[in-house]
């Protein structure tokens, strides 16, 4: 359960800002990418909870979820029951988008689609808080500070049924951040 515990902590820190009252920071923009978007309940609880109103000067975090469009699924066009998998995930994503809208959570759902390509990117990235004037922000502020990469789809199955391997990279080095 280490990945679940770590990602839950990272989601809390990003969405609510800071780890606790003694170590505050503003909400952080994040990107969660999974080819099979079906976040487990602990992740959903955080993603679908609007950030607290304090500090009032901090805008809500930008929460972007990126997944395969049905046409970019490795199961697209498969025979038998496997052919329904892209539609199943599209239905799960539609429910997630509807839940986010009802909760007024700042979640943005994006799909990857490119003719004749499949999408299997997975990971979790955090950026520094946006600068007041993004045009004046140093270029390194446009690169992530933290990346979780590995084999996990960051989904219900990978959390509760599979043994996955992930790694968290945290850096302030501008060249490493640009590569992330």
């Amino acid at each position: 359960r280490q990945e679940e515990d770590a990602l839950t902590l990272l989601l809390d820190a990003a969405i609510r800002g800071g780890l606790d009252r003694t170590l505050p920071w503003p909400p952080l923009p994040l990107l969660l990418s999974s080819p099979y978007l079906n976040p487990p309940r602990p992740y959903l609880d955080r993603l679908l909870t609007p950030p607290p109103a304090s500090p009032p000067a901090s805008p809500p975090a930008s929460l972007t979820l990126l997944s395969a469009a049905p046409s970019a699924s490795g199961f697209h066009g498969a025979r038998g029951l496997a052919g329904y998998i892209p539609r199943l995930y599209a239905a799960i994503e539609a429910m997630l988008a509807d839940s986010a809208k009802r909760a007024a959570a700042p979640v943005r759902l994006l799909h990857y689609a490119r003719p004749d390509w499949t999408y299997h990117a997975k990971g979790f990235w955090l950026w520094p808080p946006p600068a007041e004037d993004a045009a004046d922000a140093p270029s390194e502020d446009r690169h992530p500070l933290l990346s979780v990469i590995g084999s996990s789809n960051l989904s219900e199955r990978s959390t509760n049924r599979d043994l996955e391997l992930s790694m968290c990279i945290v850096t302030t080095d501008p060249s490493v951040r640009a590569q992330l």
Side-chain angles (χ1 to χ4, degrees), residues 12 18-19 32 90 108 114 118 132 153 157-158 169-170 180:
D12 281 341
L19 294 174
L32 187 150
R108 182 172 59 149
R114 186 172 177 178
T118 59
E132 297 218 9
N153 287 319
R157 180 183 173 106
S158 64
I169 301 169
V170 181
L180 292 177

Side-chain angles (χ1 to χ4, degrees), residues 13-27:
I15 293 168
R16 292 182 175 85
L19 294 174
D20 59 33
R21 293 176 194 212
T22 62
L23 187 59
W25 60 69

Side-chain angles (χ1 to χ4, degrees), residues 3 152-164:
E3 180 182 77
S152 176
N153 287 319
L154 308 171
S155 66
E156 183 68 35
R157 180 183 173 106
S158 64
T159 300
N160 293 311
R161 298 191 53 127
D162 295 339
L163 179 61
E164 303 285 0

